[in-house]
């Protein structure tokens, strides 16, 4: 019961973030800029993938040349490739947008989550670390999503259990990405951030799954990105680190 309550409260933090940016429209417009840039990149990549999916499928399945039903099989492979690309775009959208717009979202996060003191470093040091941490997170995501992608072809299981597990995995790692700014301002390194989110898994899942489902809707990811950053800052301040200064900082190299 408590886990369900924590999950529901995690969902609520996104709506709190939405309410915050609705009351502070200037910050919402401010946060749209990097999201629009990232969105344009992904649209171009998905259009390219969609128009060439059949060729990619044929290249990946030379063993099916002699099959009588090779066209149907390759059509299914092409659809699977496009859906996989779409899922990867959703999973990495937040990471790319945060990397592009780190100065924007640092200011937005700081406006939502005001600290008496915080761990500050120049952007030229934080940006490479953020990219490295995002690549590590992507590695964890692929570790889970590749087996789930394969299981997706299993009848019944692939249409019922796998989508739920996929949303849970994707949601958790979206929360990892979105809370990075607020937790780094408290001086927490990647391992400490992961440990904190695992200890508050239900809340992290509730917040992340809500964001993930919204990000599946075209263009909603762009509009909702500032709210997601604001909601993540509120999640950290209220649930993960409910003190004025957060936990004792862990030095960031």
């Amino acid at each position: 019961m408590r886990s369900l309550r924590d999950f529901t409260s995690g969902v609520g933090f996104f709506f709190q973030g939405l309410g915050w940016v609705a009351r502070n429209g200037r910050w919402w417009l401010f946060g749209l800029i990097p999201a629009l840039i990232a969105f344009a990149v992904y649209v171009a990549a998905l259009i390219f993938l969609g128009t060439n999916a059949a060729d990619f499928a044929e290249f990946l399945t030379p063993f099916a040349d002699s099959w009588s039903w090779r066209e149907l099989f390759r059509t299914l492979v092409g659809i699977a490739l496009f859906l996989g690309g779409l899922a990867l775009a959703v999973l990495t959208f937040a990471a790319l947008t945060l990397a592009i717009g780190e100065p924007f979202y640092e200011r937005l996060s700081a406006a939502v989550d005001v600290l008496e003191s915080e761990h500050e470093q120049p952007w030229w040091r934080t940006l490479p670390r953020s990219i490295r941490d995002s690549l590590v997170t992507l590695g964890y995501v692929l570790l889970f999503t590749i087996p789930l992608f394969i299981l997706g072809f299993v009848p019944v299981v692939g249409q019922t259990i796998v989508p739920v597990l996929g949303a849970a995995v994707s949601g958790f790692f979206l929360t990892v990405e979105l809370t990075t700014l607020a937790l780094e301002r408290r001086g927490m390194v990647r391992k400490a951030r992961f440990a904190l989110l695992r200890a508050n898994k239900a809340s992290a899942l509730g917040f992340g799954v809500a964001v993930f489902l919204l990000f599946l809707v075209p263009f909603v990811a762009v509009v909702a990105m500032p709210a997601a950053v604001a909601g993540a800052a509120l999640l950290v301040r209220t649930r993960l680190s409910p003190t004025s200064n957060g936990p004792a900082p862990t030095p960031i190299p």
Side-chain angles (χ1 to χ4, degrees):
M1 182 62 72
R2 179 181 176 182
S3 294
L4 180 60
R5 186 167 61 248
D6 289 346
F7 182 91
T8 303
S9 70
V11 175
F13 280 110
F14 170 75
F15 290 101
Q16 290 182 39
L18 188 62
W20 191 92
V21 295
R23 295 190 301 272
N24 298 271
R26 179 175 63 90
W27 284 106
W28 176 68
L29 292 172
F30 187 71
L32 281 182
I33 298 171
L36 284 168
I37 296 171
F39 182 73
V41 171
Y42 279 113
V43 166
L46 287 172
I47 289 174
F48 176 79
L49 177 60
T51 54
N52 293 278
D55 294 334
F56 291 144
E58 184 176 356
F59 174 77
L60 292 172
T61 59
F63 54 85
D65 286 343
S66 60
W67 296 3
S68 60
W69 51 289
R70 62 182 177 275
E71 296 302 326
L72 174 61
F73 176 71
R74 284 170 172 166
T75 298
L76 293 175
V77 171
I79 293 171
L81 285 172
F82 181 78
L83 292 177
L86 180 61
L88 186 63
V90 172
L91 290 172
T92 57
F93 177 80
L96 179 63
T97 305
L98 290 171
I100 293 172
E102 183 163 347
F104 292 81
Y105 293 126
E106 278 186 351
R107 292 180 61 186
L108 173 57
S109 181
V112 177
D113 175 29
V114 180
L115 300 178
E116 294 178 6
S117 61
E118 60 182 87
H119 190 99
E120 293 185 3
Q121 286 191 315
W123 69 268
W124 52 268
R125 292 195 63 182
T126 60
L127 181 58
R129 187 178 65 248
S130 296
I131 294 173
R132 181 191 64 205
D133 287 353
S134 292
L135 290 174
V136 171
T137 301
L138 178 60
Y140 282 120
V141 170
L142 294 176
L143 188 65
F144 286 98
T145 55
I146 290 176
L148 288 174
F149 177 75
I150 296 171
L151 285 173
F153 292 99
V154 178
V156 182
V157 173
Q159 291 74 47
T160 55
I161 297 174
V162 170
V164 175
L165 291 177
V169 169
S170 303
F172 179 81
F173 285 108
L174 267 176
T175 302
V176 170
E177 291 287 354
L178 290 166
T179 55
T180 294
L181 289 173
L183 292 175
E184 278 196 339
R185 292 174 58 236
R186 289 165 166 79
M188 298 188 73
V189 296
R190 184 180 65 250
K191 289 183 179 180
R193 298 196 302 268
F194 268 89
L196 182 62
L197 289 169
R198 285 196 302 268
N200 295 271
K201 195 176 299 181
S203 298
L205 282 172
F207 178 77
V209 168
V211 175
F212 173 74
L213 293 177
L214 282 171
F215 277 18
L216 288 173
V217 183
F219 201 69
V220 170
V222 176
V223 177
M225 188 64 190
V229 173
L234 292 168
L235 171 64
V236 170
R237 184 174 185 84
T238 307
R239 177 57 57 85
L240 304 183
S241 178
T243 63
S244 59
N245 286 311
T250 301
I252 297 178

